C-alpha cells in the first residue's frame, strides 16, 4: 500500500473490454487512492464505485487510462459520454445559458474518476492520465463533478483549464449531497 516503484510510468488507454478484465485491479486502486486523504472514503463509497464502474463499462464512449510503474497500477482515469436526455444536469443550482445542458449522447464526455495512489502523487501522473483519457474521446467538451470540500483537487482542475460552472444536487444514489461542476470546453487539437 502506498509504495513508490522505481521504474518509468507508462500510461495507456483501454476500452470497455480491457477495462472489464481489470475491474478488480481498478477497484483496488480506487480504494487505495480514495481511501487516503484528502478524500478519506469508506465502504459506502467503494461499493458505489464498484456499481457505477460496472454500469460505465456498458456506456457509449467508455475509456479508461491507466498508469503503471513496474507493473503496478498506480493511477487511473475513466468515464463515458453523457446520455442523450439523461439526468446528469438535473439539480443544477446555478442558471446556465440556454442549450448548455442539452446532450446528444456524444457532445459531452464525463470524467467520472481520476485517482493516483498516495505514494505516486505530485509527479504529474494525474495530468498525464487526464490528457490520455480525453485524447480522441470524440467529445466537444468534458465535464467532471468534485466535492466542494476538496479545494486542492479543484485548484488542480482549474490549473488544467477546467472552469467551474456551478453546483448540482447529487442524485439519491450518490454518497454526497452536492458536487461542484467543472467543464473543459476549449479542447486543444488532437484532444477532441
Amino acid at each position: 500500500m502506498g509504495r513508490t516503484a522505481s521504474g518509468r510510468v507508462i500510461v495507456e488507454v483501454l476500452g470497455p473490454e480491457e477495462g472489464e478484465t481489470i475491474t478488480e485491479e481498478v477497484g483496488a486502486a480506487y480504494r487505495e487512492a480514495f481511501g487516503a486523504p484528502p478524500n478519506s472514503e469508506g465502504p459506502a463509497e467503494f461499493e458505489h464505485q464498484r456499481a457505477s464502474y460496472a454500469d460505465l463499462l456498458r456506456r457509449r464512449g467508455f475509456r479508461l487510462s491507466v498508469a503503471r510503474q513496474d507493473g503496478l497500477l498506480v493511477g487511473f482515469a475513466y468515464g463515458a459520454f453523457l446520455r442523450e436526455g439523461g439526468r446528469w444536469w438535473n439539480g443544477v443550482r446555478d442558471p446556465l445559458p440556454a442549450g448548455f445542458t442539452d446532450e446528444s449522447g456524444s457532445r459531452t464526455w464525463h470524467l467520472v474518476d481520476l485517482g493516483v495512489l498516495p505514494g505516486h502523487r505530485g509527479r504529474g501522473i494525474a495530468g498525464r492520465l487526464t490528457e490520455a483519457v480525453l485524447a480522441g474521446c470524440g467529445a466537444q467538451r468534458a465535464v467532471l463533478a468534485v466535492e466542494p470540500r476538496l479545494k486542492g483537487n479543484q485548484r488542480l482542475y482549474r490549473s488544467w483549464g477546467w472552469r467551474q460552472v456551478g453546483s448540482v444536487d447529487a442524485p439519491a444514489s450518490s454518497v454526497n449531497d452536492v458536487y461542484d461542476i467543472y467543464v473543459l470546453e476549449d479542447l486543444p487539437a488532437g484532444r477532441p
Side-chain angles (χ1 to χ4, degrees):
M1 296 282 247
R3 69 178 191 228
T4 303
S6 60
R8 198 176 109 211
V9 174
I10 306 294
V11 174
E12 65 178 326
V13 178
L14 308 175
E17 296 81 18
E18 297 161 304
E20 186 171 19
T21 66
I22 63 167
T23 295
E24 294 304 320
E25 191 177 14
V26 171
Y30 180 96
R31 289 187 297 277
E32 187 170 345
F34 285 86
N39 297 77
S40 302
E41 293 184 358
E45 292 90 354
F46 300 154
E47 183 54 38
H48 183 263
Q49 181 273 336
R50 184 178 181 84
S52 67
Y53 184 83
D55 177 59
L56 282 168
L57 286 167
R58 296 184 300 276
R59 295 256 305 275
R60 181 173 184 215
F62 175 84
R63 295 168 63 86
L64 163 68
S65 61
V66 295
R68 292 188 183 279
Q69 188 169 36
D70 297 332
L72 174 70
L73 182 70
V74 299
F76 56 87
Y78 58 83
F81 283 114
L82 293 183
R83 292 180 174 136
E84 180 177 7
R87 300 181 311 238
W88 199 82
W89 294 102
N90 290 1
V92 173
R93 296 178 170 186
D94 311 277
L96 295 170
F100 191 85
T101 63
D102 294 346
E103 294 300 338
S104 65
S106 62
R107 178 184 187 196
T108 306
W109 197 85
H110 178 200
L111 177 60
V112 175
D113 282 316
L114 166 64
V116 176
L117 302 189
H120 299 270
R121 293 178 182 162
R123 297 174 26 205
I125 296 171
R128 289 178 60 198
L129 287 163
T130 303
E131 287 284 332
V133 81
L134 291 176
C137 74
Q140 295 174 13
R141 64 183 182 181
V143 295
L144 61 82
V146 63
E147 294 175 63
R149 70 182 178 88
L150 299 174
K151 300 299 183 194
N153 295 22
Q154 293 192 20
R155 279 191 301 276
L156 183 64
Y157 295 131
R158 284 192 302 273
S159 77
W160 294 340
W162 294 79
R163 172 177 66 91
Q164 184 177 354
V165 296
S167 298
V168 64
D169 293 321
S173 63
S174 180
V175 293
N176 295 297
D177 296 328
V178 66
Y179 290 96
D180 290 336
I181 303 295
Y182 281 76
V183 174
L184 185 62
E185 294 175 294
D186 187 21
L187 299 175
R191 199 182 82 194

